[in-house]
Amino acid sequence: MTPRTYFLDGEEVDVLDLKTLLITRGISVPDEIVAHFGQTHRLAPTSHPFACNCLLLPGRIPAHMFHIGPAADFSLAVNQAGRPCLTYRGAVVTEVDFPPATSFYEQRTSRGFPFQMMAVLQGLDVVSFPYLWPCQFALGGSPCQFCYQGNITLAMKQAGQPLPPNPSPEDVAEAVEHCVRNENIHDVQLTGGSEVDAGRGELALATKVLAAIGRRVGLESVPGEIYLYTSAPKDPAAVDEVFAAGADRVAYDLNIWDERIFETVCPGIARHIGRAQQLRAVEYAATKHGPNKVCSAFVIGLEPVESLLAGAEYVAQRGVVPLFSIWMPHHRPVLGSTAAPGLDYYRRARRGFLDLFQKYKLKPPGASGLNVCMCRDLVTHCTDT
């Protein structure tokens, strides 16, 4: 499928370029757009602290909407047909859409825990639990520079503020049950903060969550997959318990392949886990559980494209799916900069990842795309990019 093309500042761009630009540059979401479409679509006010808004580009490609105010090059407007459209410096680029309205964020568990404090809906069909427990490295003063949740945790600790309560496994299971019964959910994504010994911490907690989902709704009731993002454990075999408990995939995120940059940007992970332990965990899980059962996210835009693709090929050769997660520069500087690379960088990276998917017969998770990750978009919309 050949994506449609558009012209911005005289440069031809395709729909995946548009997604990249929206994620890396941000957008203005006027209040009148939220008022116009917020009742019929999944579109929260920009002041909402837990909003995870996305728009749908042509081809139903989701793109995260990070509101940076009226100075943004990209904005939203309503055309004469009453349809939402994306504009660039005041000129209409294309019509867009939003996911349908949901009552998800209004729900609470039976013990009163708000859904919006533990989960977000991503794209069209994924419920994501992005921070089920706090990151020990952030609490110790060493969060990854690009990590929003970790840096918020550190800021709260430094300000002497109490951290938000953690949901219980039963809370998570109730939210999953709601999604299975009331939302068009395909996949469940579980993530917690990094811990020094993931085997005794993160993986043990995830196993309890999976057991609770199994008791309450049945793992087989999830239409797609349940995948867990976790740190690499000291004992690589510790991952076996979460596969046995029902996880369909596990992701050990390498984030950055260039070790010098990795040590600077991810100081806690580099110091307490390290690249050697990460690779042992990745290779064990891939060998034991087979191709496409393990993933590893790379934060796209933080290292030279050559080292990025070298890292992606290293894991792809072992049957591990490299994930294309685009850096969002809006949260805070990384390596002292909030400037994302140019489109040529992302185009080279896209071609490289797609080649790896095809060469090694790799299948990214998901039935449709995610707000920031571009793997499914590459496979579905970019076979000739």
Side-chain angles (χ1 to χ4, degrees):
M1 176 179 178
T2 302
R4 292 179 58 184
T5 58
Y6 313 89
F7 286 88
L8 304 181
D9 294 331
E11 180 180 10
E12 186 176 19
V13 300
D14 66 25
V15 70
L16 296 189
D17 290 330
L18 273 185
K19 176 168 179 171
T20 301
L21 291 170
L22 285 167
I23 293 169
T24 57
R25 293 191 187 182
I27 188 171
S28 173
V29 185
D31 291 341
E32 54 266 30
I33 294 293
V34 178
H36 193 96
F37 297 103
Q39 297 300 312
T40 54
H41 295 78
R42 199 176 81 212
L43 187 62
T46 56
S47 59
H48 194 294
F50 304 106
C52 188
N53 289 330
C54 73
L55 57 76
L56 301 174
L57 292 165
R60 308 287 283 174
I61 297 173
H64 190 70
M65 293 197 301
F66 190 94
H67 173 69
I68 62 172
D73 287 335
F74 289 100
S75 187
L76 293 171
V78 181
N79 63 18
Q80 292 182 342
R83 296 279 302 143
C85 56
L86 178 69
T87 67
Y88 179 77
R89 297 180 179 174
V92 173
V93 178
T94 180
E95 283 192 359
V96 296
D97 203 350
F98 307 108
T102 176
S103 64
F104 178 84
Y105 294 107
E106 301 164 11
Q107 306 301 313
R108 289 177 177 264
T109 67
S110 57
R111 77 178 185 111
F113 201 99
F115 282 19
Q116 64 181 349
M117 288 186 65
M118 63 173 160
V120 296
L121 300 180
Q122 285 210 58
L124 288 164
D125 56 10
V126 174
V127 59
S128 174
F129 297 84
Y131 201 57
L132 288 174
W133 50 82
C135 174
Q136 288 185 352
F137 304 148
L139 289 171
S142 300
C144 295
Q145 291 184 18
F146 55 78
C147 179
Y148 176 76
Q149 290 94 342
N151 280 280
I152 290 295
T153 294
L154 176 58
M156 293 182 72
K157 180 184 176 183
Q158 291 175 334
Q161 299 174 354
L163 296 180
N166 298 331
S168 69
E170 289 70 27
D171 290 326
V172 175
E174 282 194 52
V176 171
E177 181 183 38
H178 172 88
C179 288
V180 168
R181 293 183 176 179
N182 301 289
E183 309 285 346
N184 184 32
I185 291 301
H186 186 264
D187 289 349
V188 176
Q189 186 183 85
L190 304 173
T191 315
S194 294
E195 301 201 358
V196 174
D197 189 345
R200 295 183 179 180
E202 297 171 59
L203 294 174
L205 288 167
T207 299
K208 293 178 181 178
V209 170
L210 290 164
I213 296 172
R215 289 191 301 269
R216 187 167 190 96
V217 64
L219 297 171
E220 70 284 352
S221 297
V222 176
E225 296 182 315
I226 301 177
Y227 31 96
L228 167 69
Y229 288 74
T230 183
S231 305
K234 293 179 180 178
D235 176 10
V239 75
D240 295 342
E241 66 180 277
V242 292
F243 278 115
D248 295 292
R249 304 203 203 203
V250 166
Y252 294 129
D253 294 345
L254 295 176
N255 295 317
I256 299 167
W257 186 248
D258 183 297
E259 287 197 59
R260 180 186 60 82
I261 300 175
F262 169 68
E263 290 169 359
T264 301
V265 175
C266 304
I269 297 175
R271 184 179 309 120
H272 297 287
I273 296 177
R275 181 52 48 86
Q277 183 171 313
Q278 286 182 317
L279 296 183
R280 283 196 301 271
V282 166
E283 292 172 8
Y284 170 86
T287 300
K288 177 70 180 289
H289 298 281
N292 288 303
K293 300 298 284 185
V294 184
C295 303
S296 185
F298 291 86
V299 185
I300 312 299
L302 296 181
E303 64 181 314
V305 71
E306 293 79 11
S307 64
L308 166 66
L309 294 178
E313 177 137 29
Y314 181 94
V315 299
Q317 288 174 331
R318 290 156 175 80
V320 176
V321 183
L323 302 179
F324 197 104
S325 183
I326 300 173
W327 172 45
M328 294 179 60
H330 323 294
H331 295 311
R332 55 190 39 82
V334 173
L335 298 172
S337 174
T338 57
L343 280 177
D344 285 346
Y345 174 100
Y346 293 98
R347 290 166 178 165
R348 288 181 61 192
R350 277 160 38 189
R351 286 193 295 269
F353 272 62
L354 182 60
D355 287 347
L356 293 173
F357 295 159
Q358 295 172 337
K359 180 178 179 180
Y360 296 105
K361 297 180 172 58
L362 299 175
K363 298 177 181 179
S368 60
L370 293 170
N371 290 22
V372 174
C373 184
M374 197 178 276
C375 299
R376 178 53 54 187
D377 305 324
L378 291 178
V379 171
T380 305
H381 298 277
C382 209
T383 55
D384 60 350
T385 187

PDB file of all heavy atoms in Angstrom, residues 194-213:
ATOM      1  N   SER A 194      11.523   0.196  36.605  1.00  0.00           N
ATOM      2  CA  SER A 194      12.661  -0.714  36.676  1.00  0.00           C
ATOM      3  C   SER A 194      13.070  -0.978  38.121  1.00  0.00           C
ATOM      4  O   SER A 194      12.981  -0.103  38.986  1.00  0.00           O
ATOM      5  CB  SER A 194      13.860  -0.130  35.917  1.00  0.00           C
ATOM      6  OG  SER A 194      13.590  -0.048  34.535  1.00  0.00           O
ATOM      7  N   GLU A 195      13.521  -2.200  38.362  1.00  0.00           N
ATOM      8  CA  GLU A 195      14.023  -2.585  39.672  1.00  0.00           C
ATOM      9  C   GLU A 195      15.395  -3.234  39.509  1.00  0.00           C
ATOM     10  O   GLU A 195      15.716  -3.794  38.458  1.00  0.00           O
ATOM     11  CB  GLU A 195      13.049  -3.537  40.360  1.00  0.00           C
ATOM     12  CG  GLU A 195      11.662  -2.921  40.544  1.00  0.00           C
ATOM     13  CD  GLU A 195      10.852  -3.602  41.625  1.00  0.00           C
ATOM     14  OE1 GLU A 195      11.346  -4.589  42.212  1.00  0.00           O
ATOM     15  OE2 GLU A 195       9.733  -3.132  41.891  1.00  0.00           O
ATOM     16  N   VAL A 196      16.186  -3.168  40.569  1.00  0.00           N
ATOM     17  CA  VAL A 196      17.557  -3.683  40.505  1.00  0.00           C
ATOM     18  C   VAL A 196      17.571  -5.164  40.185  1.00  0.00           C
ATOM     19  O   VAL A 196      18.358  -5.627  39.369  1.00  0.00           O
ATOM     20  CB  VAL A 196      18.300  -3.401  41.830  1.00  0.00           C
ATOM     21  CG1 VAL A 196      19.671  -4.071  41.832  1.00  0.00           C
ATOM     22  CG2 VAL A 196      18.456  -1.895  42.035  1.00  0.00           C
ATOM     23  N   ASP A 197      16.698  -5.920  40.808  1.00  0.00           N
ATOM     24  CA  ASP A 197      16.583  -7.347  40.520  1.00  0.00           C
ATOM     25  C   ASP A 197      15.185  -7.602  39.982  1.00  0.00           C
ATOM     26  O   ASP A 197      14.238  -7.821  40.740  1.00  0.00           O
ATOM     27  CB  ASP A 197      16.850  -8.193  41.765  1.00  0.00           C
ATOM     28  CG  ASP A 197      16.940  -9.687  41.428  1.00  0.00           C
ATOM     29  OD1 ASP A 197      16.521 -10.066  40.321  1.00  0.00           O
ATOM     30  OD2 ASP A 197      17.429 -10.460  42.275  1.00  0.00           O
ATOM     31  N   ALA A 198      15.055  -7.555  38.670  1.00  0.00           N
ATOM     32  CA  ALA A 198      13.732  -7.694  38.051  1.00  0.00           C
ATOM     33  C   ALA A 198      13.122  -9.054  38.311  1.00  0.00           C
ATOM     34  O   ALA A 198      11.902  -9.200  38.351  1.00  0.00           O
ATOM     35  CB  ALA A 198      13.841  -7.451  36.548  1.00  0.00           C
ATOM     36  N   GLY A 199      13.951 -10.079  38.480  1.00  0.00           N
ATOM     37  CA  GLY A 199      13.417 -11.414  38.714  1.00  0.00           C
ATOM     38  C   GLY A 199      12.624 -11.486  40.004  1.00  0.00           C
ATOM     39  O   GLY A 199      11.527 -12.049  40.057  1.00  0.00           O
ATOM     40  N   ARG A 200      13.144 -10.899  41.064  1.00  0.00           N
ATOM     41  CA  ARG A 200      12.453 -10.921  42.347  1.00  0.00           C
ATOM     42  C   ARG A 200      11.408  -9.809  42.454  1.00  0.00           C
ATOM     43  O   ARG A 200      10.504  -9.893  43.290  1.00  0.00           O
ATOM     44  CB  ARG A 200      13.467 -10.773  43.478  1.00  0.00           C
ATOM     45  CG  ARG A 200      14.437 -11.931  43.585  1.00  0.00           C
ATOM     46  CD  ARG A 200      15.378 -11.749  44.769  1.00  0.00           C
ATOM     47  NE  ARG A 200      16.302 -12.854  44.890  1.00  0.00           N
ATOM     48  CZ  ARG A 200      17.236 -12.952  45.842  1.00  0.00           C
ATOM     49  NH1 ARG A 200      17.339 -11.982  46.744  1.00  0.00           N
ATOM     50  NH2 ARG A 200      18.044 -13.995  45.882  1.00  0.00           N
ATOM     51  N   GLY A 201      11.550  -8.769  41.643  1.00  0.00           N
ATOM     52  CA  GLY A 201      10.648  -7.635  41.716  1.00  0.00           C
ATOM     53  C   GLY A 201       9.641  -7.610  40.593  1.00  0.00           C
ATOM     54  O   GLY A 201       8.508  -8.077  40.735  1.00  0.00           O
ATOM     55  N   GLU A 202      10.048  -7.082  39.449  1.00  0.00           N
ATOM     56  CA  GLU A 202       9.113  -6.857  38.349  1.00  0.00           C
ATOM     57  C   GLU A 202       8.431  -8.133  37.860  1.00  0.00           C
ATOM     58  O   GLU A 202       7.213  -8.162  37.669  1.00  0.00           O
ATOM     59  CB  GLU A 202       9.840  -6.192  37.181  1.00  0.00           C
ATOM     60  CG  GLU A 202      10.399  -4.814  37.495  1.00  0.00           C
ATOM     61  CD  GLU A 202      11.295  -4.314  36.371  1.00  0.00           C
ATOM     62  OE1 GLU A 202      10.804  -4.205  35.240  1.00  0.00           O
ATOM     63  OE2 GLU A 202      12.485  -4.057  36.630  1.00  0.00           O
ATOM     64  N   LEU A 203       9.208  -9.178  37.635  1.00  0.00           N
ATOM     65  CA  LEU A 203       8.623 -10.401  37.092  1.00  0.00           C
ATOM     66  C   LEU A 203       7.690 -11.066  38.101  1.00  0.00           C
ATOM     67  O   LEU A 203       6.645 -11.608  37.732  1.00  0.00           O
ATOM     68  CB  LEU A 203       9.726 -11.363  36.660  1.00  0.00           C
ATOM     69  CG  LEU A 203      10.584 -10.868  35.487  1.00  0.00           C
ATOM     70  CD1 LEU A 203      11.736 -11.827  35.219  1.00  0.00           C
ATOM     71  CD2 LEU A 203       9.741 -10.714  34.220  1.00  0.00           C
ATOM     72  N   ALA A 204       8.053 -11.007  39.376  1.00  0.00           N
ATOM     73  CA  ALA A 204       7.174 -11.571  40.406  1.00  0.00           C
ATOM     74  C   ALA A 204       5.865 -10.796  40.483  1.00  0.00           C
ATOM     75  O   ALA A 204       4.781 -11.389  40.609  1.00  0.00           O
ATOM     76  CB  ALA A 204       7.888 -11.560  41.753  1.00  0.00           C
ATOM     77  N   LEU A 205       5.929  -9.463  40.410  1.00  0.00           N
ATOM     78  CA  LEU A 205       4.721  -8.650  40.429  1.00  0.00           C
ATOM     79  C   LEU A 205       3.865  -8.923  39.195  1.00  0.00           C
ATOM     80  O   LEU A 205       2.638  -9.032  39.284  1.00  0.00           O
ATOM     81  CB  LEU A 205       5.098  -7.171  40.501  1.00  0.00           C
ATOM     82  CG  LEU A 205       5.659  -6.685  41.836  1.00  0.00           C
ATOM     83  CD1 LEU A 205       6.288  -5.298  41.674  1.00  0.00           C
ATOM     84  CD2 LEU A 205       4.584  -6.656  42.907  1.00  0.00           C
ATOM     85  N   ALA A 206       4.502  -9.015  38.036  1.00  0.00           N
ATOM     86  CA  ALA A 206       3.760  -9.272  36.808  1.00  0.00           C
ATOM     87  C   ALA A 206       3.062 -10.624  36.852  1.00  0.00           C
ATOM     88  O   ALA A 206       1.941 -10.782  36.348  1.00  0.00           O
ATOM     89  CB  ALA A 206       4.701  -9.198  35.609  1.00  0.00           C
ATOM     90  N   THR A 207       3.708 -11.616  37.451  1.00  0.00           N
ATOM     91  CA  THR A 207       3.099 -12.935  37.573  1.00  0.00           C
ATOM     92  C   THR A 207       1.816 -12.860  38.399  1.00  0.00           C
ATOM     93  O   THR A 207       0.800 -13.493  38.072  1.00  0.00           O
ATOM     94  CB  THR A 207       4.083 -13.919  38.219  1.00  0.00           C
ATOM     95  OG1 THR A 207       5.246 -14.029  37.377  1.00  0.00           O
ATOM     96  CG2 THR A 207       3.460 -15.299  38.377  1.00  0.00           C
ATOM     97  N   LYS A 208       1.823 -12.050  39.460  1.00  0.00           N
ATOM     98  CA  LYS A 208       0.615 -11.865  40.271  1.00  0.00           C
ATOM     99  C   LYS A 208      -0.487 -11.170  39.473  1.00  0.00           C
ATOM    100  O   LYS A 208      -1.674 -11.511  39.605  1.00  0.00           O
ATOM    101  CB  LYS A 208       0.949 -11.066  41.527  1.00  0.00           C
ATOM    102  CG  LYS A 208       1.866 -11.798  42.500  1.00  0.00           C
ATOM    103  CD  LYS A 208       2.188 -10.918  43.703  1.00  0.00           C
ATOM    104  CE  LYS A 208       3.121 -11.641  44.677  1.00  0.00           C
ATOM    105  NZ  LYS A 208       3.477 -10.782  45.828  1.00  0.00           N
ATOM    106  N   VAL A 209      -0.109 -10.202  38.641  1.00  0.00           N
ATOM    107  CA  VAL A 209      -1.091  -9.514  37.814  1.00  0.00           C
ATOM    108  C   VAL A 209      -1.723 -10.487  36.814  1.00  0.00           C
ATOM    109  O   VAL A 209      -2.955 -10.518  36.633  1.00  0.00           O
ATOM    110  CB  VAL A 209      -0.445  -8.322  37.082  1.00  0.00           C
ATOM    111  CG1 VAL A 209      -1.398  -7.743  36.039  1.00  0.00           C
ATOM    112  CG2 VAL A 209      -0.045  -7.236  38.073  1.00  0.00           C
ATOM    113  N   LEU A 210      -0.898 -11.294  36.168  1.00  0.00           N
ATOM    114  CA  LEU A 210      -1.410 -12.265  35.204  1.00  0.00           C
ATOM    115  C   LEU A 210      -2.344 -13.266  35.878  1.00  0.00           C
ATOM    116  O   LEU A 210      -3.384 -13.637  35.309  1.00  0.00           O
ATOM    117  CB  LEU A 210      -0.245 -12.984  34.524  1.00  0.00           C
ATOM    118  CG  LEU A 210       0.580 -12.129  33.564  1.00  0.00           C
ATOM    119  CD1 LEU A 210       1.906 -12.805  33.258  1.00  0.00           C
ATOM    120  CD2 LEU A 210      -0.189 -11.876  32.271  1.00  0.00           C
ATOM    121  N   ALA A 211      -1.983 -13.690  37.090  1.00  0.00           N
ATOM    122  CA  ALA A 211      -2.845 -14.628  37.818  1.00  0.00           C
ATOM    123  C   ALA A 211      -4.193 -13.990  38.131  1.00  0.00           C
ATOM    124  O   ALA A 211      -5.244 -14.642  38.020  1.00  0.00           O
ATOM    125  CB  ALA A 211      -2.149 -15.091  39.096  1.00  0.00           C
ATOM    126  N   ALA A 212      -4.177 -12.705  38.512  1.00  0.00           N
ATOM    127  CA  ALA A 212      -5.429 -12.015  38.816  1.00  0.00           C
ATOM    128  C   ALA A 212      -6.301 -11.872  37.573  1.00  0.00           C
ATOM    129  O   ALA A 212      -7.531 -12.050  37.636  1.00  0.00           O
ATOM    130  CB  ALA A 212      -5.139 -10.641  39.426  1.00  0.00           C
ATOM    131  N   ILE A 213      -5.687 -11.553  36.433  1.00  0.00           N
ATOM    132  CA  ILE A 213      -6.452 -11.471  35.176  1.00  0.00           C
ATOM    133  C   ILE A 213      -7.055 -12.831  34.850  1.00  0.00           C
ATOM    134  O   ILE A 213      -8.219 -12.945  34.438  1.00  0.00           O
ATOM    135  CB  ILE A 213      -5.557 -10.972  34.028  1.00  0.00           C
ATOM    136  CG1 ILE A 213      -5.087  -9.541  34.296  1.00  0.00           C
ATOM    137  CG2 ILE A 213      -6.304 -11.044  32.697  1.00  0.00           C
ATOM    138  CD1 ILE A 213      -4.037  -9.042  33.304  1.00  0.00           C
TER     139      ILE A 213
END
